[in-house]
């Protein structure tokens, strides 16, 4: 046992309060267990896939290869960094009175994963364990059986409550351990980018980076900060570079995804197919959660279907989607560009037309090639590892 009493959260568990040293020791043991489980392929049905197979440590816990989606999958791998502040999903989000006009309904917001269907780190950690595209376990019993066979039984036993010791309790403990590991701030939300150093007075942006930030924030240019919030909170908390909203961007269909070989198949995010509680809610079809841009320069692919493979191309998509659609979408037999071809036409009204999207009277994009490059230069300042938060000012 850890400190003589280390109990989980089983429904029938006897859970006396832990002392602070006991609670810290239990959290440390859970985190270490979660780290080992996260990197262990023996938890998968194949014995060859771990959480870290897709969420690699050296790429901000996103994928480390150039595949649009991983073998058998249908969505790009999201980064697991900077998820600690994502609110639980709500269909109708109202800003707090400290941040903005709380009378405005911002629509569907929050939740983890691309479609926001998990509200807790434990819930999110459970999804890949059962997904047929990922670790493909048939049941919680299969996960527990594989964990025991891999030698984790004694460590689980040490962290279990006095009762009950059953499969459900052990599986919940595995999910809790994975979630606890992902709460390690040093790894998952260190706030150690150059931009954080600038906000802390430890560094300065170059002229090029400062130009990129200005373009990133200007409503008549990139307008990126309207969704990827770049300013610290009113309470001084660092910016997360996401408003956590769900939005339809109309990205091109990705032929590299096996399911897309069926012309009748569409991944429509909030309204399905992975998420089922909003099936039939046409106003939500095509919406996916806005990810944080922190560590975005480490990404190999972009958007929910991984159709875009460079950061510059991703920024250019925003500026050129509607003024140069032939760059992004195929041309049909009639010679017309098939815009927004990864979403049925009846849902095209859901697609975001806020600037820089939408047609422009002069037909010119909101951003020039040089301005796109400047924004990319700024986005590189969001990569962690520029400084240690504990280090003194230079």
């Amino acid at each position: 046992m850890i400190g003589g009493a280390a109990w989980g959260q089983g429904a029938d568990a006897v859970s006396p309060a832990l002392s602070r040293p006991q609670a810290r020791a239990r959290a440390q043991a859970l985190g270490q267990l979660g780290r080992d489980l996260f990197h262990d392929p023996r938890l998968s049905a194949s014995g060859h896939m771990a959480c870290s197979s897709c969420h690699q440590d050296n790429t901000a816990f996103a994928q480390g290869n150039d595949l649009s989606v991983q073998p058998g999958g249908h969505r790009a791998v999201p980064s697991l960094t900077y998820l600690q502040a994502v609110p639980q999903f709500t269909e109708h989000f109202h800003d707090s009175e400290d941040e903005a006009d709380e009378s405005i309904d911002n629509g569907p917001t929050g939740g983890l994963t691309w479609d926001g269907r998990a509200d807790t780190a434990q819930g999110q950690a459970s999804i890949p364990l059962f997904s047929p595209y990922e670790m493909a376990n048939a049941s919680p019993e299969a996960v527990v059986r594989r964990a025991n066979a891999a030698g984790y039984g004694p460590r689980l036993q040490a962290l279990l409550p006095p009762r009950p010791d059953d499969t459900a309790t052990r599986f919940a403990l595995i999910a809790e351990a994975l979630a606890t590991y992902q709460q390690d701030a040093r790894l998952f939300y260190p706030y150690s980018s150059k931009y954080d150093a600038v906000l802390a007075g430890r560094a300065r942006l170059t002229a090029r980076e400062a130009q990129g930030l200005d373009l990133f924030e200007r409503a008549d240019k990139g307008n990126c900060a309207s969704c990827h919030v770049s300013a610290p909170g009113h309470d001084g908390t660092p910016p997360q570079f996401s408003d956590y909203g769900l939005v339809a961007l109309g990205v091109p269909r990705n032929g590299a995804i096996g399911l897309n070989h069926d012309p009748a198949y569409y991944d429509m995010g909030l309204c399905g197919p992975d998420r089922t509680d909003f099936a039939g809610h046409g106003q939500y079809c095509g919406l996916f959660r806005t990810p944080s841009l922190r560590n975005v320069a480490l990404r190999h692919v972009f958007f929910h279907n991984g159709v875009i493979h460079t950061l510059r191309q991703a920024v250019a998509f925003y500026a050129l989607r509607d003024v140069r659609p032939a760059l992004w979408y195929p041309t049909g037999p009639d010679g017309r560009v098939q815009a927004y071809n990864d979403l049925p036409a009846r849902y095209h009204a859901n697609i975001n037309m806020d600037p820089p999207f939408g047609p422009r009277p002069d037909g010119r994009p909101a951003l020039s090639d040089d301005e796109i490059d400047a924004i990319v230069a700024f986005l590189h300042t969001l990569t962690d590892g520029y400084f240690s938060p504990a280090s003194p000012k230079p």
Side-chain angles (χ1 to χ4, degrees):
M1 302 294 288
I2 302 298
W7 293 281
Q9 301 300 317
D12 299 321
V14 176
S15 301
L18 300 179
S19 68
R20 288 185 179 181
Q22 287 173 331
R24 284 195 297 269
R26 183 176 191 275
Q28 182 178 22
L30 272 172
Q32 292 171 345
L33 175 62
R35 175 200 60 204
D36 294 342
L37 293 169
F38 187 89
H39 294 90
D40 197 331
R42 293 175 293 178
L43 261 63
S44 67
S46 69
H48 297 292
M49 176 176 283
C51 301
S52 60
S53 299
C54 295
H55 301 283
Q56 296 185 10
D57 301 38
N58 61 352
T59 55
F61 295 94
Q63 69 190 64
N65 59 38
D66 294 326
L67 297 176
S68 294
V69 299
Q70 299 309 291
H74 69 305
R75 289 179 181 167
V77 176
S79 170
L80 296 181
T81 58
Y82 295 99
L83 298 181
Q84 82 289 350
V86 178
Q88 291 192 344
F89 175 83
T90 179
E91 189 177 358
H92 303 284
F93 179 76
H94 298 269
D95 288 299
S96 71
E97 61 182 4
D98 293 333
E99 299 293 336
D101 185 349
E102 62 179 345
S103 68
I104 297 175
D105 182 357
N106 293 282
T109 301
L112 303 173
T113 75
W114 281 111
D115 55 22
R117 70 187 185 277
D119 274 335
T120 66
Q122 288 93 327
Q124 186 276 330
S126 300
I127 290 174
L129 291 171
F130 302 120
S131 170
Y133 309 117
E134 300 177 79
M135 299 173 78
N137 285 286
S139 64
E141 289 81 1
V143 176
V144 171
R145 184 172 63 252
R146 291 189 170 98
N148 288 335
Y152 293 103
R155 294 171 69 181
L156 291 169
Q157 180 67 40
L159 290 163
L160 286 169
R163 61 180 177 87
D165 181 1
D166 55 20
T167 295
T169 305
R170 288 202 172 213
F171 177 78
L173 187 60
I174 289 170
E176 183 185 3
L178 288 168
T180 301
Y181 170 58
Q182 293 174 55
Q183 293 165 13
D184 186 336
R186 297 165 300 176
L187 298 175
F188 290 90
Y189 46 103
Y191 298 104
S192 60
S193 71
K194 180 176 181 179
Y195 189 63
D196 291 303
V198 170
L199 294 177
R202 298 172 183 263
R204 292 183 180 180
L205 296 177
T206 66
R208 187 64 160 164
E209 293 163 351
Q211 178 194 14
L213 173 59
D214 178 63
L215 294 165
F216 183 94
E217 294 180 333
R218 281 177 56 180
D220 65 333
K221 284 295 186 179
N223 198 31
C224 314
S226 62
C227 292
H228 298 284
V229 182
S230 55
H234 292 303
D235 59 356
T237 53
Q240 302 301 308
F241 284 87
S242 176
D243 64 357
Y244 314 115
L246 283 89
V247 62
L249 298 179
V251 296
R253 192 169 179 86
N254 190 348
I257 297 175
L259 290 171
N260 283 347
H261 297 167
D262 177 359
Y265 172 82
Y266 291 95
D267 182 359
M268 296 188 287
L270 185 52
C271 80
D274 288 359
R275 184 164 188 162
T276 59
D277 52 336
F278 288 107
H281 292 243
Q283 72 273 29
Y284 296 148
C285 291
L287 275 63
F288 293 86
R289 188 171 64 77
T290 301
S292 171
L293 293 184
R294 286 179 171 275
N295 293 303
V296 70
L298 299 179
R299 298 302 308 269
H300 288 254
V301 299
F302 301 85
F303 304 116
H304 73 276
N305 63 359
V307 68
I308 287 177
H309 286 252
T310 70
L311 180 55
R312 191 193 188 283
Q313 191 180 31
V315 176
F317 174 75
Y318 284 86
L320 302 175
R321 186 193 73 181
D322 295 315
V323 295
R324 304 284 190 273
L327 293 175
W328 313 100
Y329 305 105
T331 300
D334 59 359
R336 300 177 63 181
V337 175
Q338 298 175 323
Y340 320 133
N341 65 325
D342 203 28
L343 190 65
R346 64 185 179 276
Y347 301 128
H348 284 187
N350 297 344
I351 294 173
N352 188 353
M353 287 292 171
D354 292 342
F357 292 135
R360 294 172 62 84
D362 58 4
R364 300 177 62 184
L367 297 169
S368 67
D369 285 346
D370 183 73
E371 289 171 332
I372 290 170
D373 289 337
I375 290 177
V376 171
F378 166 68
L379 292 175
H380 276 267
T381 73
L382 303 183
T383 302
D384 284 323
Y386 179 82
F387 80 109
S388 169
S391 64
K393 291 185 179 181

